[in-house]
Amino acid sequence: MTISKKGFLAAGISMMLAFALAACNSQQESTDPEPESTDPGTEVVEPDPVVMVLDMKGDECVEAGTVKTVLTVNSVATQMVLMCGGESAAATLGQGFQYGDDSLNIKMFPNLGGLKTFTRADATVENVAAIDPGLVVIDVPDTVAALREADIPVAYLSVTSPETIMQAVQMIGEAMGGDAEAKAAQYCTYYNGVLEEMGALAAKVSGSPKVLYLRSETKTIGAGSMPDSWITTLGGVNVGAELGASGGAGSDVTTEAIIGADPDIIICENAALVETILTDAKYADMTAVKNGAVYQAPLGTAVWSMGTAEAPLMVYWASQYINPDAFTGIDPDKKTIEFFQEFYGYTLSGYELDGIFHRTTSVAAAA
């Protein structure tokens, strides 16, 4: 068959177009992205999600595990920070934190001398920004709001019960992360264990002694408070609750009401109050006074009777006065030594132990 000149030309053009199209397809294939590997050994690693710590009002306050230092405004919070994170974690000393020459704290934490003591009133935006802590913990809602407005990490913290103490310690531990978080978890397990152990022993007692906790001559604490917790855990009756006291810090009652309640046991917050109750003639006919059953609450890094990290030890100590026959196997001295070793990494001397229980007038002087 003879191909005309026009046919030959058309065939050539068709071949050129076919080559061009093939080249274009080849280029397209080379620039298309490589398909994802289906190799089962290949794993796509996703970044860890950001975990935010919730404060005691349920508000997000800081990313978990990022806090190096914590600013505190009261002794209780300072004590919790030191327990979880050690000396380097404290940005301030809270109001009431005893750091004088004769205090146990200065022996346990000798490197805190350069820190400022902060009160609630000191926690202004300007003052806090000058210290630049990783987190502020405080129980004043207006201050929390002001610091958050200034983008300063802050958490609401207030303790009035064993549950809130454990919540506060856990919050501080989560904020710091690592060893601090582990220590907080260990502490919560310990405290729950104390309440279970002592509650089970108290359930077997038949007596219900009347126990009055005094913050001052006319201030006691009612139901739902820390004293109410350790009194009732041990099978006692909280006289403060019967007198209608309220609030985590307590409320006033009359001297006549206290005398009329005639408690079997009185536990006071300080030595001067013990002296007054035992020596003032108006209290002489009270059962607790006649029996010499008026005692001062122990003082470690903070007073044990209120909302402090050492509150579990208050249960052990008070058991020797509230239904003591049910707790004959409990040794508060031994429990205290073990607690300080476990949670502070500190070995108490005999003199320091006597100081905690007010068996000496001064820890430092005795040592």
Side-chain angles (χ1 to χ4, degrees), residues 121-354:
D122 291 325
T124 63
V125 170
E126 181 181 9
N127 288 342
V128 172
I131 293 177
D132 191 26
L135 180 66
V136 178
V137 292
I138 193 168
D139 58 356
V140 183
D142 287 347
T143 302
V144 171
L147 294 175
R148 281 193 179 140
E149 182 68 22
D151 292 326
I152 294 174
V154 57
Y156 180 85
L157 181 151
S158 177
V159 293
T160 57
S161 66
E163 293 74 24
T164 55
I165 289 176
M166 286 184 270
Q167 184 183 0
V169 170
Q170 188 173 28
M171 180 185 74
I172 291 169
E174 288 177 353
M176 289 191 279
D179 291 343
E181 186 172 8
K183 178 68 67 67
Q186 179 183 358
Y187 173 85
C188 292
T189 299
Y190 176 89
Y191 200 168
N192 279 318
V194 172
L195 296 176
E196 290 174 7
E197 173 194 12
M198 302 302 278
L201 292 173
K204 301 174 183 179
V205 305
S206 56
S208 298
K210 296 187 294 182
V211 184
L212 175 66
Y213 180 74
L214 289 177
R215 305 205 72 184
S216 70
E217 269 197 86
T218 57
K219 178 170 283 190
T220 185
I221 300 188
S225 65
M226 279 307 306
D228 187 68
S229 170
W230 48 261
I231 290 170
T232 57
T233 293
L234 298 171
V237 174
N238 179 13
V239 172
E242 293 192 331
L243 295 177
S246 61
S251 58
D252 289 335
V253 293
T254 65
T255 299
E256 291 73 21
I258 290 174
I259 294 172
D262 193 25
D264 300 302
I265 301 163
I266 299 174
I267 296 177
C268 302
E269 200 159 304
N270 58 71
L273 188 53
V274 172
E275 182 71 14
T276 298
I277 299 298
L278 286 174
T279 59
D280 195 315
K282 65 177 177 280
Y283 299 117
D285 291 331
M286 294 173 65
T287 299
V289 175
K290 288 190 291 186
N291 292 337
V294 182
Y295 311 103
Q296 182 183 356
L299 172 67
T301 64
V303 66
W304 288 3
S305 50
M306 297 298 289
T308 76
E310 286 152 40
L313 295 175
M314 183 66 184
V315 184
Y316 286 134
W317 174 83
S319 72
Q320 305 305 290
Y321 307 103
I322 304 173
N323 292 315
D325 290 344
F327 306 105
T328 54
I330 300 300
D331 183 348
D333 283 35
K334 182 173 183 290
K335 296 291 188 182
T336 301
I337 291 169
E338 291 172 347
F339 180 95
F340 273 69
Q341 288 174 334
E342 183 173 359
F343 294 104
Y344 293 120
Y346 186 82
T347 301
L348 290 166
S349 69
Y351 293 116
E352 290 164 344
L353 192 64
D354 286 343

